[in-house]
Amino acid sequence: MKYRQLIVLSVMLITGGTCLAQKEQPTITEDFKPSTKNQPGQEYPRVNPQGYARFRIIAPEAKSVVVSLGLGGTRGGTPLSKAEDGSWMGTTAGPLEEGFHYYHLTIDGGVFNDPGTLNFYGSTRWESGIEIPAHDQDFYALKNVPNGKVQQILFPSPSTNTSRRAFVYTPPSYEKDKKKRYPVLYLQHGWGEDETAWSNQGHANLIMDNLIADGKIKPFIIVMTYGMTNDVKMGGLRNFDIKPFQTVLIDELIPYIDANFRTLADQPHRAMAGLSMGGMETKTITLARPDIFSHYGLLSGGTYAPEDIKDKSKVNLI
Amino acid sequence: MKYRQLIVLSVMLITGGTCLAQKEQPTITEDFKPSTKNQPGQEYPRVNPQGYARFRIIAPEAKSVVVSLGLGGTRGGTPLSKAEDGSWMGTTAGPLEEGFHYYHLTIDGGVFNDPGTLNFYGSTRWESGIEIPAHDQDFYALKNVPNGKVQQILFPSPSTNTSRRAFVYTPPSYEKDKKKRYPVLYLQHGWGEDETAWSNQGHANLIMDNLIADGKIKPFIIVMTYGMTNDVKMGGLRNFDIKPFQTVLIDELIPYIDANFRTLADQPHRAMAGLSMGGMETKTITLARPDIFSHYGLLSGGTYAPEDIKDKSKVNLI
């Protein structure tokens, strides 16, 4: 049980990272390939095994095109230069950290997405995404193994007076044995992201499929929902009130999941984890409601001090 | 049975339309509101009840910003003018047809998406989308009724040597009575779109939820997959070979669905329909394999001549 959880947490830490680091690197090898996050058929942006990214944008009459990587743009970003054919091209000054990165373009003073890539919800907007191949990318690759499903559900939320969306991963075996019930992990996204992040950017479903196929993990259900209740304007985190979301999660989503999926609907089989803001939410909610969750995971979202946990007999410390 | 099918087909025709029509209209009423397809918190683009759309793009140093609506852009599109605050603004020359439209921006000679809106896969790329409120928008609104699920599945496809994606709508009752089995509609997207179109742009799930809640339709499952097998370059439709997709659909997807969902897995309970190219595919495949499908629907995708159907006893003509 502990081994399984450690693996899942490690996986999440590795794939959920969105940090950026640049090092001096003398020679750029010219073995660039299209990023796996590109739109169908798009050749740019391209990445090389060293972690450099190269961009090409068509905007022949533009005055300036800059690529900003990271949540707020990084030290001025990567300015592109106008090539002879009228396109704009440029390569990052250094290699990027492996894994997924959000970015956008600044063109003539306006912020736009790169038409070469897919969009991912981060920074409270749909942004361009690029994937720097990770040394363990095999871990989250789409492989020829039994694949589970990611389901979009709309669950009634009287407290927010609407229907709210969640995504639910069910393991490949879910449809085979119709009597089997599964533990559930409630998995929260980071600030500025939404309920699409863990399966889109995070490949949570593929990671699970691969771990299950390798026999490294026992199958469980993952539920991912939007972690804020003020849908439009996301205020400062300092004034963030967890209560409305806690109500949505505990009084509305969990009963819906337990009624509509074959869950093991008790505290010993219910976990919560989250990245960054989602980790903060996990800490607050799990400590407030130890009767609901037995397994907690904070991914870049703070730590539990031993004195935080009132009744250690109720939870599993790993 | 016939009534149900007519309703579904009408629904699909209404919501699947992407045509554009402009009429002379003397006065523009100033009751613009943000499009329902906008990103969270974005005020532009805006639409008014007459069907005009108004755009605002921030790109202070740009030389020109043009909004192109429709698949290939429409008569030069809507040029925006630079406002005093440095933003670019403009309103369509006439009202647009109600419903969903793809569009993009041309900024200084480059094609970009509007950062104000969500993206939708059409025109073989993720494009901006705008919704002109329809007179019957209540039909596809998210309402306080029991909601079904949209599931992403990855099914093995030996013929294309990969796992392929499909989305499966299951009605709200699917999880309640674990023994009930359902008819299935295989529903195909139009050219340049993909398997996301019917639930994203088309609201197929919400339409079904509302029709079921109103008692106008009996619940069934809808399966939506990508209708082409050349994933990257979509060639001319004239040279389109239906065989590889027919293999994916009939030999791979249908057996997977019947094995993994509680379907009524026989010809009398299996339907196929599609929009535009999807209609063309439906016509070809249903006529080639009358043993598989009993109900056919062509939505702007051609017509069936009576002589097309070899054995009329096998199918339901409506």
Side-chain angles (χ1 to χ4, degrees), chain B residues 205-318:
Chain B
N205 55 326
L206 299 179
I207 293 168
M208 287 293 291
D209 292 344
N210 293 339
L211 286 171
I212 292 168
D214 285 349
K216 289 181 178 165
I217 205 169
K218 285 183 188 170
F220 56 90
I221 293 169
I222 304 180
V223 179
M224 301 155 278
T225 198
Y226 185 55
M228 301 185 87
T229 46
N230 46 341
D231 278 315
V232 176
K233 291 186 184 174
M234 295 190 172
L237 272 181
R238 280 186 198 178
N239 304 320
F240 183 61
D241 178 10
I242 194 72
K243 283 284 165 56
F245 174 62
Q246 185 174 313
T247 301
V248 167
L249 179 69
I250 293 185
D251 299 335
E252 297 171 348
L253 178 57
I254 291 178
Y256 182 91
I257 295 293
D258 287 337
N260 287 280
F261 292 85
R262 295 197 315 276
T263 62
L264 290 161
D266 54 12
Q267 189 261 15
H269 297 95
R270 197 181 290 124
M272 183 175 181
L275 169 70
S276 191
M277 180 192 80
M280 207 182 79
E281 295 181 325
T282 299
K283 182 174 176 181
T284 314
I285 293 175
T286 54
L287 291 176
R289 296 298 300 269
D291 53 316
I292 304 292
F293 302 98
S294 56
H295 297 66
Y296 318 163
L298 305 186
L299 315 169
S300 314
T303 54
Y304 291 103
E307 59 272 21
D308 285 340
I309 297 167
K310 287 163 202 158
D311 182 354
K312 293 182 183 58
S313 70
K314 281 191 180 166
V315 299
N316 291 332
L317 301 173
I318 55 175

Side-chain angles (χ1 to χ4, degrees), chain A residues 39-41 58-63 107-108 110-112 115 118-119 121 125-126 149-152 175 232 260-261, chain B residues 39-41 58-62 107-108 110-112 115 118-119 121 125-126 147 149-152 175 232 260-261:
Chain A
Q39 292 201 28
I58 296 171
E61 303 297 319
K63 286 179 188 159
I107 300 176
D108 290 349
V111 171
F112 300 95
L118 298 174
N119 287 189
Y121 198 76
R125 58 183 294 272
W126 288 89
K149 298 176 193 166
V150 177
Q151 320 194 17
Q152 174 189 295
E175 300 298 328
V232 176
N260 287 279
F261 291 85
Chain B
Q39 291 201 30
I58 296 171
E61 303 297 318
I107 301 175
D108 290 347
V111 171
F112 300 94
L118 298 174
N119 286 190
Y121 198 76
R125 57 184 295 272
W126 288 90
N147 293 114
K149 299 176 193 166
V150 177
Q151 319 193 16
Q152 175 189 295
E175 300 298 327
V232 176
N260 287 280
F261 292 85

Side-chain angles (χ1 to χ4, degrees), chain A residues 137-169:
Chain A
Q137 57 184 301
D138 192 54
F139 207 72
Y140 54 89
L142 172 59
K143 293 187 206 173
N144 187 18
V145 298
N147 292 114
K149 298 176 193 166
V150 177
Q151 320 194 17
Q152 174 189 295
I153 60 162
L154 295 165
F155 63 98
S157 170
S159 74
T160 58
N161 197 28
T162 183
S163 291
R164 299 178 70 87
R165 186 167 71 161
F167 291 93
V168 181
Y169 168 83

Side-chain angles (χ1 to χ4, degrees), chain A residues 1-16 139 185 187 198 204 207-208 211-212 216-222 271 273 297 299 318:
Chain A
M1 196 69 175
K2 289 185 181 175
Y3 180 55
R4 161 160 82 79
Q5 289 153 351
L6 276 170
I7 286 182
V8 174
L9 294 183
S10 313
V11 170
M12 291 167 176
L13 280 166
I14 290 162
T15 59
F139 207 72
L185 168 65
L187 182 58
W198 271 110
I207 293 167
M208 287 292 291
L211 286 172
I212 292 168
K216 290 182 179 165
I217 206 168
K218 285 184 188 171
F220 56 90
I221 293 169
I222 304 180
L299 315 170
I318 56 175

Side-chain angles (χ1 to χ4, degrees), chain B residues 41-194:
Chain B
Q42 294 296 315
E43 288 292 318
Y44 285 86
R46 298 169 78 86
V47 296
N48 81 357
Q50 296 169 297
Y52 285 87
R54 181 169 287 170
F55 302 89
R56 181 174 187 266
I57 301 297
I58 296 171
E61 303 297 318
K63 286 179 186 158
S64 77
V65 180
V66 177
V67 175
S68 299
L69 270 158
L71 278 168
T74 309
R75 279 163 286 172
T78 300
L80 307 189
S81 307
K82 201 165 180 177
E84 281 187 17
D85 63 0
S87 68
W88 293 78
M89 288 195 64
T91 307
T92 52
L96 303 172
E97 199 80 25
E98 63 184 36
F100 178 83
H101 301 262
Y102 299 107
Y103 73 100
H104 58 254
L105 311 174
T106 303
I107 301 175
D108 290 347
V111 171
F112 300 94
N113 287 330
D114 184 342
T117 68
L118 298 174
N119 286 190
F120 302 87
Y121 198 76
S123 322
T124 75
R125 57 184 295 272
W126 288 90
E127 289 217 302
S128 301
I130 190 170
E131 181 96 17
I132 306 297
H135 69 281
D136 59 350
Q137 57 184 300
D138 192 54
F139 207 72
Y140 54 89
L142 173 59
K143 294 187 205 173
N144 187 18
V145 298
N147 293 114
K149 299 176 193 166
V150 177
Q151 319 193 16
Q152 175 189 295
I153 60 163
L154 294 166
F155 63 98
S157 169
S159 74
T160 57
N161 197 28
T162 183
S163 291
R164 300 179 68 88
R165 186 169 71 161
F167 290 94
V168 181
Y169 168 82
T170 52
S173 58
Y174 190 82
E175 300 298 327
K176 303 295 177 194
D177 175 356
K178 301 283 182 175
K179 288 183 181 170
K180 187 170 161 59
R181 294 184 166 270
Y182 294 85
V184 185
L185 167 65
Y186 289 83
L187 182 58
Q188 291 304 127
H189 58 84
W191 187 84
E193 299 178 330
D194 70 7

